[in-house]
Structures are given as C-alpha cells and as structure tokens.
Amino acid sequence: ATATSIEVLVVGAGGGGGNYYHGAGGGGGGIVHDTDFTVIGGQAYGLTVGSKGTAGQTGNSDPGGPGIDTSFDNAAVNLKLIGKGGGGGAAEGATGKTGGSGGGGTYNTLGGASTQADFAGATSYGSAGGGDTTNRPGNSTGGGGGAGAVGGPGTPDAGGLGGAGYRFPTFVAYGSTAANTASTGSDGGYFGGGGGGATNSVVDDFPNGGVGGGAAGSGANGPSAPGWAPYGFGGTGGGGGGGERAGLYGGDGDNGGVYIKENDNYENMTLQSNAFTAQTQPTTTRIIVDESPYAGTTTVNTDIKAYASRDNGTTFTQMTL
C-alpha cells in the first residue's frame, strides 16, 4: 500500500563556538519532530539540510557563527528549523546569540534565548544558552543550549556544560550516545546537544573545557589543550566548543539533517465468496478463518469481522466469531 504518513525528524545546524579569548559554547540545532506527518503519493516535498555554524576566526576574538536553517515541507506545511547561535566570544560581556538553541554567553551576560518555532501537529525542541550573572570578571564562559536542556553557566574553575541533547528512540542508529560518542547502533539517538564553554585562562593555564551536551547529546567539548575545540558529530546539529586565549580556538558546529521513517499504514481488506444457491431456506451459516498477523495485534469481532447474506449480497448481517 502507498504510505500515507511518515515520522520525520528535522534537525537544524549547530552554531560555532566563540573563539580566542572568552569563547562560549555554540547552541545546538533546533529540532522539530512529527510522528505522523501526512504525505501524498506522487507529491514533491522540499528538503534543505542546514550547514554548520563556523567558529570565530583564528587569532581574533570573534563569536561563533549561527547554524543554517534545515527545512522539510510541502505546499501546505513548512517544518523549518532556526539555526543555532554561536557562543559570545568577542570580549568580556558578550551575550550569546539567539537561535533554535541559544549560544552561551561570557561573564556578566546571559546566554542567547531559544527562538525555535512551534508547528501544528509537531513537537519542537530548543533551549537557552548558559551565561554568568555574578559580575565576577575571570569566570569561564557558558555552554550552548541543547534540545533537551539549557546550557550550564561558566564558573571560576570550569566552562559551562553544553545543554543536553534529546534522544529520539526511533532514530537510535543515528546521532550520538549518552556518553557523547558516535552511535554504533541501538545505543544512540541523541540530537541537538550544546557545545561546552571554555575556562578562563587566568584561572587555569590549560582550560578545563565544559562537556559538550552535558551528560547526553551531540555537542562538542570545550578545549582542554592547545588546538581547535572538538567538533560534534555530523548530522546531529550539535554546537561547537568554545575556545579560550591564543592557541585554543572554538570549534565548528554540526550540520543539520532530516531523518524519515515510514509509518506502518494499514488498509481494510474485504474477502467475499462467490454466491451459492441454497436448496432450502438457510438458517445457519459457518465460516472458518485461519489468520496470522503480520504486525501488531488483531481482535476477533473488532479487527476481524464476518458477515453473511441470504439475498445474494444485497444485505449482510454480522456473525459473532
């Protein structure tokens, strides 16, 4: 039978981490999940996969760039994702950018807000980034927001945790695991984790970067040694880790993705025998049904019904099986 509905997961691209000095974590991609998206055979559907947000430029105190929108639509429905904001990394007091999940902020600022839109019949996911409001110069930067949780605030000793991603059981073969490693099959399914923030280099010469995605989700960690902060896993919409001081640069976000699963669609089936001419007026009819369900469950007299007719199919009376 032609499919009439699908499950679709639309993941926006993650934002890049802030760069160089006081680079906060990039926000994870916003997510829209529709478990029963109606489709029509022969109709064309538009699909655009958003590309990752890039980290701030090497050698400059730049905020990370936002991710790009991912969309899946037809003429009537547009499931469009907002790209994630990068972490604020220009200088002290840089606020995280808004997006599907907001980017982290530096000290004495808030993280960026989530601007992920809602769509009828679908569930949207996105959270704000973490920041720091203690008015204490020298604090580390906030983690980017994730699809499942807000980004953590920066502290004097560690960058803020990236907000946790959200797990979608239908797509466990994709995304990342709860331990923030690439999925190898049934242990994954996390998408949209925020990037971890960086630790202020005045406190710790080798910054103790925040963990990407908290305890779950596809965001990258903040750096803990010279070099680029790690990227997240492609296609999961994770945010890039934030960088801190020369030689510790922010990481790019992840590309977005569109994941589709065809739903089980069932159609009624009618089996009718040929007509038989009775020798006398019938008072009893018998039917034997040998049935083996292909999927799901079947209930006699509810899903499987039997009818008999004594006027060559003009009228039918339901029999009790």
Side-chain angles (χ1 to χ4, degrees):
T2 301
T4 58
S5 68
I6 59 173
E7 180 179 1
V8 58
L9 180 69
V10 189
V11 182
N19 199 43
Y20 202 60
Y21 280 103
H22 310 302
I31 294 176
V32 171
H33 182 221
D34 193 330
T35 60
D36 192 24
F37 185 86
T38 301
V39 291
I40 301 173
Q43 178 171 321
Y45 292 82
L47 187 155
T48 302
V49 176
S51 56
K52 63 186 180 182
T54 57
Q57 297 299 306
T58 305
N60 298 304
S61 293
D62 294 329
I68 306 301
D69 290 351
T70 294
S71 63
F72 177 80
D73 58 48
N74 59 22
V77 180
N78 180 27
L79 299 179
K80 191 172 185 180
L81 279 298
I82 306 297
K84 293 328 113 204
E92 293 84 347
T95 302
K97 295 181 180 179
T98 61
S101 285
T106 60
Y107 66 81
N108 197 26
T109 66
L110 298 173
S114 169
T115 54
Q116 178 56 54
D118 292 323
F119 298 89
T123 304
S124 298
Y125 299 86
S127 304
D132 177 71
T133 56
T134 61
N135 295 310
R136 295 176 57 188
N139 273 17
S140 304
T141 60
V150 299
T155 70
D157 300 318
L161 297 178
Y166 198 92
R167 187 173 190 260
F168 296 90
T170 306
F171 303 103
V172 293
Y174 310 97
S176 69
T177 69
N180 209 22
T181 59
S183 172
T184 57
S186 62
D187 56 348
Y190 289 92
F191 294 84
T199 299
N200 190 289
S201 59
V202 174
V203 178
D204 186 347
D205 190 49
F206 287 96
N208 180 20
V211 176
S218 52
N221 294 341
S224 58
W228 289 96
Y231 301 165
F233 307 111
T236 66
E244 171 62 33
R245 73 178 175 80
L248 290 173
Y249 311 120
D252 294 345
D254 301 333
N255 295 325
V258 177
Y259 301 84
I260 294 173
K261 176 183 178 294
E262 182 179 338
N263 289 332
D264 294 325
N265 297 286
Y266 304 100
E267 297 179 358
N268 291 331
M269 178 175 63
T270 300
L271 300 176
Q272 183 173 334
S273 71
N274 294 327
F276 295 92
T277 301
Q279 295 180 349
T280 59
Q281 181 78 5
T283 58
T284 302
T285 184
R286 292 183 177 89
I287 184 171
I288 297 175
V289 179
D290 185 10
E291 175 266 342
S292 177
Y294 171 74
T297 59
T298 52
T299 302
V300 173
N301 298 315
T302 299
D303 302 303
I304 301 176
K305 300 179 181 180
Y307 296 82
S309 175
R310 296 199 305 177
D311 53 12
N312 199 29
T314 300
T315 59
F316 283 89
T317 300
Q318 184 176 354
M319 305 159 55
T320 299
L321 296 175

